[in-house]
Amino acid sequence: MAKFDLAFSPPLMNAAGTLGFVPERRGLAALERLGAFVTNPISRQARTPAAGQRYLEYAGGFMLHTGHPNPGFKTAVNRYARLWASLELPVIVHLLAQEPADLAWMVERLEGLEGLMGIEIGLPPEASAAQATELVDAAWSELPVIARLPLEGAAQLAWSVLQAGAAAISLSAPRGALPASSAGLLCGRLHGPGVYPLALRAVHSLAVQDIPVIGCGGIYSPEQAREMLLAGALAVQLDAVLWSGRDLQTFTV
Amino acid sequence: MAKFDLAFSPPLMNAAGTLGFVPERRGLAALERLGAFVTNPISRQARTPAAGQRYLEYAGGFMLHTGHPNPGFKTAVNRYARLWASLELPVIVHLLAQEPADLAWMVERLEGLEGLMGIEIGLPPEASAAQATELVDAAWSELPVIARLPLEGAAQLAWSVLQAGAAAISLSAPRGALPASSAGLLCGRLHGPGVYPLALRAVHSLAVQDIPVIGCGGIYSPEQAREMLLAGALAVQLDAVLWSGRDLQTFTV
Amino acid sequence: MKVYIAQVSALLLDERRRLAARLESEELISPAPGQYFLADDGAAICAQTIFCVRQEEASLLALPPLPVAWQPGSSLRLLGPLGNGVTLPRPLRRLALAVFEESPTNLLSLARQANQQGAEVALFAEPPLPALPAWLEASPLAALPEALTWADFLALDLPSSSLPHLRQHLGLPSHAACPCPAQALVRLPMPCGAVAECGACAVSMRRGWRLACKDGPVFDLNDLEW
Amino acid sequence: MKVYIAQVSALLLDERRRLAARLESEELISPAPGQYFLADDGAAICAQTIFCVRQEEASLLALPPLPVAWQPGSSLRLLGPLGNGVTLPRPLRRLALAVFEESPTNLLSLARQANQQGAEVALFAEPPLPALPAWLEASPLAALPEALTWADFLALDLPSSSLPHLRQHLGLPSHAACPCPAQALVRLPMPCGAVAECGACAVSMRRGWRLACKDGPVFDLNDLEW
Ligand SMILES: Cc1cc2nc3c(=O)[nH]c(=O)nc-3n(C[C@H](O)[C@H](O)[C@H](O)COP(=O)(O)OP(=O)(O)OC[C@H]3O[C@@H](n4cnc5c(N)ncnc54)[C@H](O)[C@@H]3O)c2cc1C
Ligand SMILES: Cc1cc2nc3c(=O)[nH]c(=O)nc-3n(C[C@H](O)[C@H](O)[C@H](O)COP(=O)(O)OP(=O)(O)OC[C@H]3O[C@@H](n4cnc5c(N)ncnc54)[C@H](O)[C@@H]3O)c2cc1C
Ligand SMILES: Cc1cc2nc3c(=O)[nH]c(=O)nc-3n(C[C@H](O)[C@H](O)[C@H](O)COP(=O)(O)O)c2cc1C
Ligand SMILES: Cc1cc2nc3c(=O)[nH]c(=O)nc-3n(C[C@H](O)[C@H](O)[C@H](O)COP(=O)(O)O)c2cc1C
Ligand code: FES
Ligand code: FES
């Protein structure tokens, strides 16, 4: 199987976790505007939803702490691989990178599948450069690897993951904390329009170093997507706007 | 002169740059609620305002790119030192840390002044651990040093600056970028309520490592200030809320 | 599931004095109580899930909580109805309804249905509700345990955070099942609106977990972990 | 500078069809055109600087741009008047006014003052303005160069981004000074509202720079770098 190139046409995707494991009807409508479909995060073992509060609003958007629930790799591939092959656009499978051995095991099983353009691996937010290197290395295969890094730490890890063989990096949501309603703090990923200036700056500062970066964070309008491409992103991912119910017929970059 | 301790009563301050070099009438009213007054950033040489756009709004607040204009150290001390000595609460002078030699020169001249509780040094946002260490080291004197780090990079530098002798770290605004109206990008500091979850998480993750941290970012209500203290901040700084015109008579922590 | 274009024709207050909205649409829309819509007003930052009930006339009543920006004249795209609503059994003789904190309008709509079928209806609410139709008996939640000996169906509308205290309200020992058939509209944020399986709206079941946006938001009470 | 409590009594449209607000306060407030207030509506994220002019009655007209959240009935704290307004010379015979993009209401208030003093007034505007009082001649900006030969005072209201093109509009060669006395209300964001010397509102002068919030927002034109 020939190694696909990381060229997106148009240079627009959904972010992992925003359109499910396979797109349902409404998701399919959004796909017409996209150059690739990225799956929800999949881990080797099944994961349950996080306990307690999982959604909190703040002035710039909302925070999610979901625990990345998923049925585990085997079940996901059994359920969805045929649908991935039948989609009209290339598929990128997002894998939650935890143990290198697990990751290698999953990647090996993806290599044979049809319709895949690449693999995106979600690195643990507190990963060191050494851990990140080891994980990217474990994901090496015929399929190009996109390493997804939280935007606030991307600059530290970008060179390590590229040297380890990643074809590009993508940016995941910044981490925040808010008081939970039951007292104590809830930590999670921040989404919404307030994230945009953080994401735009991250893209810019990586792109000026010639790091191939897929931008993501707080994009709600085609203008914002185009600004991020102008700032040097090789493609951009849409996240919460795909949940807003907005009509995306005019979303072109 | 005895070395002051870094104890704030109440544990509430203004952030550098939010109430001027000395507070004017409205600033004075806010001071009744504060445990210390922090000056605007002062550099060895005078600095002019940045050219072009300096203020842009976004969904979570606003971005500033001011260039930290100030009259330079000598002029500032001539103009303001007497007023600092006469204020009823302790003063923290904020110095823009650029060259170690300049910083040492300024700190030496502050040591003799009355009414100062400490020095806060604003580190360049892209400073490496080595540069940060060198700058904190250069600021060593009788006066305790607070090292102000952009919140997104604070975790990387915190231990270095503490080992170099900083009494505490404080958090400055995260950096962002937005399209300028004249095309191109404008980079600057993000302020407003959308910053709060980023700041709260930064405080929490530093405090659990027993790092003495002064929290700042997006606080608009006494509840938010108290949550940040509960998350482990040794004190908190107010920023844009001091500009909002809000009545702060009931702002108690 | 369909896309409707609707207009806010008036803002009004519900029985708890919270803001509701009357919506007008060219087409007749008839959601079951407990089904929801995604409302796109051009300003949503994630899925705006809105519960609606049909009114006497051909208009919809959108229930609180509503987005603050809605004004009379606002134009909306409504996608739905989505999810599972409450299904009343037939025949139905004695219906018990209980609402915790939420707007009671969904249950009042069920009450009307049941009343039209000739059933007796009792409504239990916390906090208590002001004036109700004469045929509808209203009681505090404290009287709910007695209703369980009498009702042949119980419908609940409650935030998911109330589920752990529900047995206490029903006067049941821990682990006991509800003695009559019962359905619960479980309220919690549904930010992706069933487009992503994001997991934010997960509800713990006696076996595993389900998504409120897709598999609910109305569940059989005895399937829930409560 | 003082704190006033004011209420929004009505929303209306200015001459450019942008939203303005009528404010009522117990006390008489008389800002000079070009002075501003900080308006605290409980939702501001930084200084909300609002230009106001006194109206015939004892009410204030708050000029666009306004915060979107203001509604009739909204209660505000107004701090001010702040900054320097326009000072018309006396005696004054021929006043030229020019407004670029901004709401013309500040200048219209100056026009009325001058008219009451018996002066002739001409207003130049871009984009053009609809109907004006009969005694007030209105012209496009293109006619401004001629006015300079005639006026004994020129008042300008313009965004700071228009300053680099101003000489062109006045028909002056580069570096030439304005031939008559002139003051300019320079509009740019003033996020700290003169509490912090933050520098966001800095304006370049022929010598150094000044802060619009504190030293302006009205400046003598020939002191500005333009
Ligand atoms: C072996 C293992 C199994 C786990 N299983 C579950 C589970 O089934 N359900 C559950 O809720 N939590 C599980 N956790 C805990 C999990 O790591 C987080 O605490 C939780 O998922 C937070 O979710 P979030 O939505 O906030 O994710 P995010 O905000 O995206 O991430 C925050 C947390 O998610 C974790 N995380 C995100 N991406 C990765 C990744 N690629 N690799 C490793 N960790 C990552 C990090 O620990 C981090 O603290 C598990 C942890 C481990 C080590
Ligand atoms: C010797 C020197 C003198 C300068 N003088 C001026 C000047 O007079 N006016 C001007 O606008 N710009 C000056 N700059 C450029 C300046 O560094 C920034 O580009 C500019 O201040 C951005 O302002 P900001 O409001 O965005 O600040 P911020 O967003 O807070 O900071 C962003 C930029 O400010 C600079 N900065 C902030 N804090 C420090 C610090 N403690 N030490 C060093 N740099 C810091 C960084 O370069 C950074 O890129 C100077 C730079 C140098 C090296
Ligand atoms: C093997 C394993 C399984 C876990 N499963 C869950 C889970 O199902 N739901 C959940 O909310 N958290 C789960 N956790 C999360 C832990 O309770 C804890 O929050 C997590 O390890 C993060 O630790 P930290 O708070 O030190 O970052 C799991 C953790 C581990 C190690
Ligand atoms: C000595 C010196 C003085 C500067 N003075 C100013 C200034 O007055 N105003 C300004 O906007 N930028 C000033 N700059 C900023 C530079 O134009 C440039 O933006 C800055 O060094 C940041 O560089 P970067 O874009 O590579 O981060 C100055 C830079 C230096 C080195
Ligand atoms: S809201 Fe996302 S899965 Fe239900
Ligand atoms: S607005 Fe801050 S100095 Fe003028």
Side-chain angles (χ1 to χ4, degrees):
Chain A
M1 187 178 170
K3 184 154 175 165
F4 280 89
D5 214 13
L6 271 183
F8 306 96
S9 168
L12 192 65
M13 282 163 270
N14 65 305
T18 60
L19 288 180
F21 297 95
V22 283
E24 56 78 85
R25 235 173 81 194
R26 277 175 295 145
L28 278 174
L31 291 197
E32 291 170 20
R33 305 274 135 207
L34 304 181
F37 167 72
V38 186
T39 71
N40 269 17
I42 299 171
S43 46
R44 173 147 187 194
Q45 305 298 336
R47 286 171 69 104
T48 59
Q53 262 186 308
R54 288 176 293 249
Y55 171 90
L56 281 172
E57 288 176 13
Y58 77 104
F62 59 95
M63 191 176 86
L64 281 185
H65 170 88
T66 62
H68 301 301
N70 77 84
F73 185 82
K74 267 196 181 162
T75 309
V77 168
N78 285 342
R79 275 194 209 155
Y80 305 122
R82 220 149 7 110
L83 294 159
W84 295 335
S86 70
L87 277 181
E88 285 190 9
L89 76 183
V91 170
I92 295 171
V93 174
H94 182 102
L95 298 176
L96 276 173
Q98 296 173 319
E99 292 300 316
D102 285 345
L103 189 58
W105 183 89
M106 293 191 284
V107 169
E108 199 188 319
R109 275 146 193 85
L110 289 178
E111 270 190 296
L113 300 186
E114 262 177 76
L116 301 197
M117 180 198 208
I119 293 170
E120 184 179 61
I121 61 174
L123 292 163
E126 317 295 347
S128 66
Q131 288 171 312
T133 300
E134 201 188 359
L135 287 165
V136 172
D137 200 54
W140 199 90
S141 80
E142 291 284 304
L143 292 164
V145 170
I146 301 165
R148 185 162 224 242
L149 305 171
L151 64 85
E152 69 272 34
Q156 271 89 41
L157 296 184
W159 284 116
S160 309
V161 302
L162 291 176
Q163 268 157 22
I169 71 158
S170 65
L171 300 178
S172 77
R175 263 62 186 178
L178 287 167
S181 61
S182 56
L185 287 188
L186 189 71
C187 295
R189 294 160 270 146
L190 302 178
H191 295 277
V195 173
Y196 185 71
L198 298 168
L200 188 58
R201 178 171 187 272
V203 165
H204 173 71
S205 62
L206 294 165
V208 295
Q209 298 174 61
D210 282 328
I211 292 169
V213 55
I214 298 171
C216 183
I219 298 174
Y220 277 75
S221 73
E223 293 72 32
Q224 289 174 319
R226 287 193 287 260
E227 285 290 348
M228 208 175 265
L229 291 168
L230 275 178
L234 100 99
V236 296
Q237 296 180 338
L238 303 181
D239 58 351
V241 70
L242 294 168
W243 297 358
S244 71
R246 221 159 288 191
D247 186 354
L248 298 175
Q249 288 308 310
T250 54
F251 208 110
T252 48
V253 291
Chain B
M1 187 179 170
K3 185 154 174 167
F4 281 87
D5 214 16
L6 270 184
F8 306 97
S9 168
L12 193 66
M13 283 163 270
N14 65 303
T18 59
L19 289 179
F21 297 96
V22 283
E24 57 78 86
R25 234 172 81 195
R26 277 176 295 145
L28 278 175
L31 290 197
E32 291 170 21
R33 305 274 133 209
L34 303 182
F37 167 72
V38 186
T39 71
N40 269 18
I42 299 172
S43 47
R44 173 146 186 194
Q45 306 297 336
R47 284 171 70 103
T48 59
Q53 263 187 308
R54 288 175 295 250
Y55 171 89
L56 281 173
E57 288 175 15
Y58 77 104
F62 58 96
M63 192 176 85
L64 282 185
H65 170 88
T66 63
H68 302 299
N70 76 86
F73 185 82
K74 268 195 180 164
T75 309
V77 168
N78 286 341
R79 275 192 208 155
Y80 305 121
R82 220 148 7 109
L83 293 160
W84 294 335
S86 70
L87 276 182
E88 286 190 10
L89 76 183
V91 170
I92 295 171
V93 174
H94 183 102
L95 298 176
L96 276 173
Q98 297 174 316
E99 292 300 317
D102 286 344
L103 189 57
W105 183 89
M106 294 191 282
V107 169
E108 198 187 320
R109 275 148 195 83
L110 289 178
E111 270 190 295
L113 300 185
E114 262 177 75
L116 301 197
M117 181 197 207
I119 293 170
E120 186 179 61
I121 61 174
L123 293 164
E126 316 294 347
S128 65
Q131 287 170 314
T133 299
E134 201 187 1
L135 287 165
V136 172
D137 200 53
W140 199 90
S141 80
E142 291 285 305
L143 292 164
V145 171
I146 300 164
R148 186 162 225 242
L149 306 171
L151 65 85
E152 68 273 34
Q156 271 87 44
L157 295 184
W159 284 116
S160 309
V161 302
L162 291 176
Q163 269 157 22
I169 71 158
S170 65
L171 300 179
S172 76
R175 264 61 188 180
L178 286 167
S181 60
S182 55
L185 287 189
L186 189 69
C187 295
R189 295 159 270 147
L190 302 178
H191 295 277
V195 172
Y196 185 72
L198 297 167
L200 187 59
R201 179 173 187 270
V203 165
H204 174 71
S205 62
L206 294 165
V208 296
Q209 299 175 60
D210 281 328
I211 292 169
V213 55
I214 297 171
C216 184
I219 296 175
Y220 277 74
S221 73
E223 293 71 34
Q224 289 174 319
R226 287 193 287 261
E227 285 290 350
M228 208 175 264
L229 291 168
L230 275 178
L234 97 102
V236 297
Q237 296 180 338
L238 302 181
D239 60 348
V241 69
L242 295 167
W243 297 359
S244 70
R246 222 159 287 190
D247 186 353
L248 299 175
Q249 288 307 310
T250 54
F251 208 110
T252 48
V253 289
Chain C
M1 189 185 67
K2 237 191 95 161
V3 176
Y4 299 92
I5 304 299
Q7 282 236 326
V8 177
S9 63
L11 294 179
L12 47 160
L13 297 178
D14 81 343
E15 292 78 5
R16 294 222 193 277
R17 306 198 64 70
R18 289 187 284 211
L19 213 59
R22 179 167 299 126
L23 309 182
E24 310 291 342
S25 159
E26 300 265 298
E27 297 169 83
L28 199 70
I29 317 178
S30 296
Q35 284 192 303
Y36 67 96
F37 291 86
L38 298 183
D40 167 29
D41 55 13
I45 60 160
C46 60
Q48 285 183 341
T49 53
I50 301 285
F51 291 93
C52 291
V53 298
R54 192 145 136 238
Q55 293 211 290
E56 302 74 30
E57 323 90 80
S59 65
L60 277 185
L61 188 68
L63 312 187
L66 296 185
V68 286
W70 288 13
Q71 295 291 336
S74 297
S75 182
L76 311 172
R77 278 166 24 112
L78 287 183
L79 187 80
L82 293 163
N84 300 318
V86 175
T87 329
L88 291 181
R90 280 171 181 268
L92 172 66
R93 282 175 311 173
R94 287 182 298 268
L95 174 65
L97 303 168
V99 57
F100 295 57
E101 298 167 43
E102 306 295 346
S103 169
T105 313
N106 266 316
L107 294 189
L108 290 176
S109 160
L110 276 179
R112 263 188 302 275
Q113 274 182 34
N115 182 248
Q116 279 159 15
Q117 293 175 33
E120 277 178 75
V121 187
L123 175 67
F124 303 84
E126 188 72 45
L129 290 170
L132 291 173
W135 49 266
L136 181 55
E137 196 188 326
S139 314
L141 274 189
L144 194 49
E146 209 194 304
L148 292 190
T149 62
W150 157 88
D152 45 26
F153 191 78
L154 169 66
L156 297 154
D157 186 348
L158 77 182
S160 65
S161 57
S162 294
L163 278 173
H165 320 294
L166 181 57
R167 277 205 179 77
Q168 208 177 312
H169 285 293
L170 296 181
L172 295 174
S174 48
H175 304 293
C178 181
C180 68
Q183 292 188 341
L185 168 50
V186 179
R187 307 266 197 139
L188 80 180
M190 303 190 288
C192 84
V195 88
E197 301 192 46
C198 73
C201 70
V203 175
S204 295
M205 309 297 285
R206 283 204 306 164
R207 308 180 57 131
W209 49 274
R210 308 290 291 272
L211 298 173
C213 65
K214 208 178 79 171
D215 309 313
V218 172
F219 293 96
D220 280 337
L221 182 60
N222 284 327
D223 292 345
L224 290 169
E225 168 77 33
W226 58 297
Chain D
M1 187 186 69
K2 239 191 93 160
V3 177
Y4 299 91
I5 305 298
Q7 284 237 324
V8 177
S9 63
L11 295 178
L12 47 162
L13 296 178
D14 81 342
E15 293 78 5
R16 293 224 193 277
R17 307 198 63 71
R18 287 187 286 211
L19 213 58
R22 179 167 298 127
L23 309 182
E24 309 291 341
S25 158
E26 300 267 296
E27 298 169 83
L28 200 69
I29 317 179
S30 296
Q35 285 193 300
Y36 67 96
F37 291 86
L38 298 184
D40 166 29
D41 56 12
I45 61 159
C46 61
Q48 284 184 342
T49 53
I50 300 285
F51 290 93
C52 291
V53 299
R54 192 143 135 237
Q55 292 211 291
E56 302 74 29
E57 323 91 79
S59 64
L60 278 184
L61 188 67
L63 313 186
L66 296 186
V68 286
W70 289 11
Q71 294 292 335
S74 297
S75 182
L76 311 171
R77 277 163 28 109
L78 286 182
L79 186 81
L82 294 163
N84 301 317
V86 175
T87 328
L88 290 181
R90 280 172 180 268
L92 172 67
R93 284 174 311 177
R94 286 182 299 269
L95 174 65
L97 302 169
V99 58
F100 296 57
E101 297 168 44
E102 306 295 345
S103 169
T105 313
N106 266 315
L107 294 187
L108 290 176
S109 159
L110 275 177
R112 263 190 302 276
Q113 272 182 35
N115 182 249
Q116 278 158 16
Q117 293 174 35
E120 279 179 74
V121 187
L123 175 66
F124 303 85
E126 189 72 44
L129 290 171
L132 291 172
W135 49 265
L136 181 55
E137 197 188 326
S139 313
L141 273 188
L144 194 48
E146 210 194 303
L148 291 189
T149 63
W150 157 89
D152 44 26
F153 191 77
L154 169 66
L156 298 154
D157 187 348
L158 77 182
S160 64
S161 57
S162 294
L163 279 172
H165 322 294
L166 181 58
R167 276 204 180 77
Q168 208 178 312
H169 286 293
L170 296 180
L172 296 173
S174 49
H175 305 292
C178 181
C180 68
Q183 293 188 340
L185 167 50
V186 179
R187 307 266 196 138
L188 79 180
M190 304 190 286
C192 84
V195 88
E197 301 192 46
C198 74
C201 69
V203 175
S204 295
M205 310 297 284
R206 284 204 306 163
R207 308 180 56 132
W209 50 274
R210 308 291 291 272
L211 299 173
C213 64
K214 208 177 81 171
D215 310 315
V218 172
F219 294 96
D220 280 337
L221 181 60
N222 284 326
D223 291 344
L224 290 169
E225 169 79 33
W226 60 295

